Amino acid sequence: MTASNENPDNIPSYSQEEVQEILQNAIVRKVDNQDHFTYEQLSEMAKELDISPETLKVAEENWQQQKTELQQRQAFDKHRWQKIKRRWEGYLIFNAFLVTLNLITAGTVSWAVYPLAFFGLGLVYDTWETSRLEGEKYDRALEKWQKKKSA
């Protein structure tokens, strides 16, 4: 609740965010244990709040678009981390083979440390880059993945 300088009677006033939270809480309490609402119920609630059907439709479309974008981002993130996981698995299998071969032929680990180190550094860098991907770079990578996926 925010205090208002223009409010001589000490009638509470609320910010837009507070109004939204209070109304969401009231809607939850009004429909006791109901998990899903029909479009008619949604329209009725909007009408009670003096929200026009057009505004409701635009809000619903925006919500659906945001939901779709979030799902795409989650799928992209899952893809990126699965790709890194597969690369680590390949790295471990390949280098286990090299170390085993080196042990069998030389009786010690000597030359196998070089590919282990060089490939490992590259993989660590790729993992680090994947974990830091954000902002504009993330958006470009997401667009590239979406194009590749749809092709």
Side-chain angles (χ1 to χ4, degrees):
M1 187 166 71
T2 58
S4 173
N5 294 337
E6 303 170 11
N7 194 349
D9 299 327
N10 288 332
I11 298 172
S13 63
Y14 304 94
S15 70
Q16 184 174 356
E17 183 178 305
E18 292 168 330
V19 168
Q20 184 176 0
E21 289 174 13
I22 292 168
L23 290 175
Q24 284 176 339
N25 193 333
I27 289 169
V28 168
R29 292 179 184 276
K30 180 180 177 183
V31 289
D32 299 336
N33 300 325
Q34 188 172 354
D35 288 341
H36 292 83
F37 298 96
T38 65
Y39 188 79
E40 289 78 25
Q41 289 172 316
L42 180 62
S43 296
E44 184 180 314
M45 286 183 233
K47 187 176 181 180
E48 288 176 8
L49 295 170
D50 199 29
I51 297 172
S52 72
E54 297 80 22
T55 302
L56 178 62
K57 186 69 175 168
V58 169
E60 182 186 20
E61 289 169 358
N62 286 343
W63 170 79
Q64 189 64 42
Q65 183 180 9
Q66 289 171 351
K67 185 178 171 184
T68 301
E69 287 175 9
L70 177 63
Q71 289 170 342
Q72 288 176 347
R73 287 178 182 272
Q74 288 171 339
F76 176 58
D77 290 342
K78 183 178 179 180
H79 166 77
R80 290 183 318 136
W81 288 110
Q82 285 178 337
K83 186 176 175 182
I84 290 293
K85 181 182 174 187
R86 284 191 305 271
R87 291 195 60 209
W88 273 104
E89 289 168 350
Y91 168 80
L92 293 174
I93 291 168
F94 180 72
N95 282 294
F97 169 75
L98 289 180
V99 168
T100 304
L101 182 65
N102 194 199
L103 284 172
I104 291 171
T105 59
T108 183
V109 178
S110 55
W111 57 264
V113 252
Y114 298 110
L116 189 76
F118 289 121
F119 293 137
L121 286 174
L123 192 51
V124 166
Y125 177 77
D126 287 346
T127 304
W128 183 61
E129 281 294 309
T130 298
S131 70
R132 293 186 51 235
L133 194 60
E134 58 186 29
E136 226 175 275
K137 278 185 166 183
Y138 180 91
D139 292 338
R140 282 195 305 267
L142 175 61
E143 283 179 33
K144 183 178 176 181
W145 176 74
Q146 288 171 330
K147 287 178 185 176
K148 184 178 178 182
K149 193 173 112 176
S150 65

